[in-house]
Amino acid sequence: MNYRHAFHAGNHADVLKHLVLCRLFALLARKDAPYAYLDSHAGVGLYDLQGDQASRTGEWREGIGRLWEATDAPEPLLDYLEVIRAMNPDGVLRHYPGSPELARLQTREQDRLHLNEKHPDDGQALKENMAGDRRVAVHLGEGWHLPRALLPTREKRAVMLIDPPFEKADELERCVTALNEAIGRMRQTIVAIWYPIKDERQLKRFYRDMEKSAAPKLLRAELFVHPADEAGRLNGSGLLISNPPWGLEEELRALLPWLAERLAQSQGSWRLDWLIAEQQP
């Protein structure tokens, strides 16, 4: 994929990733106990959809651009849309939150954020964008080291987003390793792994490896905007979520069909199932 993320900000893959994050935050907020949010490949945190990079691709027009004025959005989508509308109070869609800003706005006073960005320029921009929020720590190291460096957290609950650029051939394998490390160090961690859907043969190996992972349970949520029959394009994207909170599966069953219809570019579809089902006692 063409990374840096500003080229893709607000596209259909961002919509899926960010609305799931919003639902995780909302479901965790049902309990007062604090949690930590960890972001392995955070980016800069804020994006200008009318800026040079986003304008070159215009991918956001086929993503958040299609949802911006939706009046029939399912209830679980509203938190996500309200954040974006609040960032654009004049009614013109220009500013879009990356996962760091979304997390900063949706978490509570008692929660903590650890944001990691390896790219030096993006890391500095992330620090500037997060300045002034004492709950946020910005790290400038290797994102794959985050599970070993920061888990277990002092909070009893943790959410980790693993969202690499997928510039290198081994990154799906590294996602498996990172999940195993996270679960090995803090078993109850909610790990959300984002991945592009392009080459199905490669993904089948990824799924098999994930089925053998240490996750106690693992939910797969995928959104397609094209049929998955052309390896050279972004046909859709998915999230694997370890230890999803109760209620998330039900919400996604309501959200994904609506999104597949709204965001389809040639043919939309969706999938929601368990790669690792919860073991019954």
Side-chain angles (χ1 to χ4, degrees):
M1 294 182 67
N2 179 17
Y3 206 78
R4 295 149 78 185
H5 190 74
F7 290 101
H8 313 291
N11 70 0
H12 61 85
D14 259 6
V15 169
L16 176 65
K17 174 173 55 183
H18 292 152
L19 75 87
V20 170
L21 271 183
C22 277
R23 297 320 304 153
L24 289 174
F25 299 145
L27 292 169
L28 286 172
R30 291 177 175 177
K31 296 182 179 180
D32 291 335
Y35 62 87
Y37 172 72
L38 291 73
D39 197 326
S40 66
H41 300 77
V44 302
L46 287 166
Y47 298 97
D48 182 355
L49 299 180
Q50 297 179 25
D52 176 61
Q53 292 173 320
S55 295
R56 282 193 225 173
T57 63
E59 290 184 16
W60 64 271
R61 299 181 189 278
E62 303 299 318
I64 186 58
R66 293 194 183 185
L67 307 186
W68 171 242
E69 296 181 347
T71 58
D72 61 338
E75 193 275 336
L77 193 61
L78 297 182
D79 287 350
Y80 166 67
L81 292 177
E82 285 171 5
V83 166
I84 298 164
R85 288 167 179 159
M87 294 177 65
N88 297 276
D90 61 356
V92 178
L93 179 56
R94 175 168 186 170
H95 303 290
Y96 186 81
S99 51
E101 179 67 3
L102 199 66
R104 192 182 72 82
L105 294 173
Q106 294 291 93
T107 51
R108 306 160 301 173
E109 179 64 26
Q110 65 265 41
D111 304 321
R112 279 194 311 150
L113 289 74
H114 291 278
L115 312 175
N116 185 85
E117 176 51 50
K118 182 180 180 181
H119 191 287
D121 293 340
D122 287 358
Q124 185 57 43
L126 180 63
K127 280 191 171 185
E128 293 170 3
N129 286 333
M130 297 293 117
D133 194 327
R134 62 178 183 80
R135 303 172 306 133
V136 180
V138 174
H139 308 273
L140 304 179
E142 173 56 68
W144 298 112
H145 297 165
L146 218 63
R148 282 170 278 165
L150 296 177
L151 292 175
T153 60
R154 71 187 185 204
E155 294 84 4
K156 301 298 183 184
R157 303 188 296 167
V159 179
M160 173 179 285
L161 175 64
I162 298 175
D163 176 24
F166 291 100
E167 294 176 309
K168 298 179 180 178
D170 67 342
E171 287 185 297
L172 286 172
E173 290 84 356
R174 298 190 80 170
C175 285
V176 180
T177 300
L179 173 62
N180 284 330
E181 289 176 345
I183 296 299
R185 297 183 66 85
M186 189 173 174
R187 185 171 175 79
Q188 69 271 32
T189 305
I190 299 170
V191 182
I193 299 173
W194 179 89
Y195 54 94
I197 299 176
K198 300 176 81 174
D199 185 343
E200 279 208 304
R201 291 172 300 175
Q202 188 181 34
L203 281 179
K204 286 178 181 177
R205 294 193 296 270
F206 176 56
Y207 298 147
R208 287 196 298 267
D209 290 343
M210 281 295 184
E211 286 172 343
K212 301 173 185 175
S213 74
K217 50 185 176 177
L218 193 62
L219 183 66
R220 172 171 58 183
E222 294 182 341
L223 177 68
F224 299 82
V225 298
H226 298 290
D229 57 7
E230 189 176 317
R233 70 183 176 193
L234 184 62
N235 300 305
S237 67
L239 284 162
L240 292 179
I241 308 155
S242 73
N243 299 311
W246 186 86
L248 181 64
E249 180 185 11
E250 181 181 355
E251 290 187 349
L252 291 179
R253 287 204 183 278
L255 280 167
L256 288 172
W258 187 88
L259 287 169
E261 180 179 356
R262 187 59 61 99
L263 298 181
Q265 295 180 23
S266 62
Q267 180 180 329
S269 60
W270 59 280
R271 172 161 60 179
L272 184 67
D273 59 5
W274 292 90
L275 282 188
I276 301 176
E278 186 172 16
Q279 296 297 313
Q280 298 299 320

